[in-house]
């Protein structure tokens, strides 16, 4: 009898120990994009002129809503903060403009054909990005960045002048 009480006590202690040591489960299908990304900011002009003109830069990404991020990107000579939508697509997460910026770039309001949440009518086998592209965009529509979840990196091209890509600035960074 004493043996079974000891064995029961040990089993309970092991169960408590195992439960206490379990790590918080992370949704691997949709890993978090928020965090600090350290990298470089380079201009398109430096690429075309052959000079490698880059500067150290940081992008601070915070979740600001459902499928929405706030991006604060800065370097010694650049500082910009804006809000974007993000969409999971396999091992990547792509970003797209929001609000007036979306309407100005693509010629219509974001979510014009949706009722309720923008992802409520997603089809089986369709990623968030595939759904966004089929619902909101033409094949020729441009996008300017996103996250490579495998390499824990973020890149984004800032369109400084929509009619002249030589003025673009490109951020490339790795999550810290």
């Amino acid at each position: 009898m004493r043996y079974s009480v000891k064995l029961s006590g040990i089993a309970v202690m092991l169960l408590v120990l195992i439960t206490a040591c379990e790590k918080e489960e992370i949704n691997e299908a949709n890993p978090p994009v928020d965090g600090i990304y350290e990298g470089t900011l380079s201009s398109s002009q430096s690429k075309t002129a052959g000079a490698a003109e880059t500067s150290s830069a940081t992008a601070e990404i915070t979740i600001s809503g459902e499928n929405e991020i706030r991006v604060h990107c800065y370097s010694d000579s650049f500082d910009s903060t804006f809000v974007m939508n993000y969409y999971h697509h396999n091992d990547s997460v792509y970003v797209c403009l929001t609000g007036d910026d979306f309407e100005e770039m693509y010629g219509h309001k974001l979510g014009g054909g949706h009722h309720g949440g923008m992802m409520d009518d997603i089809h089986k086998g369709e990623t968030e990005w595939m759904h966004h592209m089929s619902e909101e965009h033409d094949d020729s529509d441009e996008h300017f960045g996103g996250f490579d979840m495998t390499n824990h990196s973020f890149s984004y091209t800032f369109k400084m002048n929509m009619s002249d890509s030589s003025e673009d600035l490109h951020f490339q960074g790795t999550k810290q």
Side-chain angles (χ1 to χ4, degrees):
M1 175 110 177
R2 263 187 146 171
Y3 177 75
S4 69
V5 170
K6 268 187 183 180
L7 192 57
S8 296
I10 291 171
V12 168
M13 286 183 2
L14 282 174
L15 184 60
V16 168
L17 182 62
I18 290 170
T19 303
C21 290
E22 277 185 30
K23 289 184 176 181
E24 183 180 324
E25 195 172 311
I26 295 174
N27 182 354
E28 290 300 324
N30 295 324
V33 296
D34 58 331
I36 297 176
Y37 294 78
E38 296 287 344
T40 58
L41 190 65
S42 58
S43 75
S44 294
Q45 287 177 336
S46 64
K47 290 178 188 172
T48 58
E53 204 174 307
T54 62
S55 61
S56 295
T58 301
E60 297 175 3
I61 313 291
T62 54
I63 306 292
S64 57
E66 184 177 347
N67 281 77
E68 185 180 88
I69 56 173
R70 181 179 163 271
V71 178
H72 179 206
C73 186
Y74 56 92
S75 70
D76 287 340
S77 60
F78 180 80
D79 193 337
S80 182
T81 302
F82 54 97
V83 175
M84 301 194 81
N85 287 327
Y86 68 95
Y87 305 93
H88 291 272
H89 181 68
N90 303 321
D91 61 353
S92 299
V93 176
Y94 296 111
V95 295
C96 188
L97 301 169
T98 61
D100 292 340
D101 293 333
F102 181 93
E103 188 173 354
E104 184 177 321
M105 176 63 114
Y106 303 115
H108 63 92
K109 289 185 182 285
L110 178 65
H114 292 283
H115 302 288
M118 287 198 312
M119 294 296 141
D120 288 346
D121 61 345
I122 197 165
H123 299 99
K124 185 176 179 162
E126 187 176 46
T127 66
E128 291 174 354
W129 181 249
M130 291 164 61
H131 181 72
H132 170 72
M133 291 300 291
S134 70
E135 293 285 320
E136 302 292 346
H137 291 285
D138 294 329
D139 291 339
S140 62
D141 287 352
E142 285 185 86
H143 288 84
F144 306 104
F147 300 86
D148 179 332
M149 302 311 285
T150 303
N151 295 319
H152 310 288
S153 63
F154 172 68
S155 64
Y156 190 76
T157 299
F158 295 91
K159 303 298 285 179
M160 306 308 286
N161 180 344
M162 292 307 286
S163 62
D164 185 1
S165 64
S166 71
E167 296 182 26
D168 292 353
L169 294 175
H170 182 74
F171 173 81
Q172 178 69 47
T174 305
K175 192 172 188 176
Q176 301 302 297

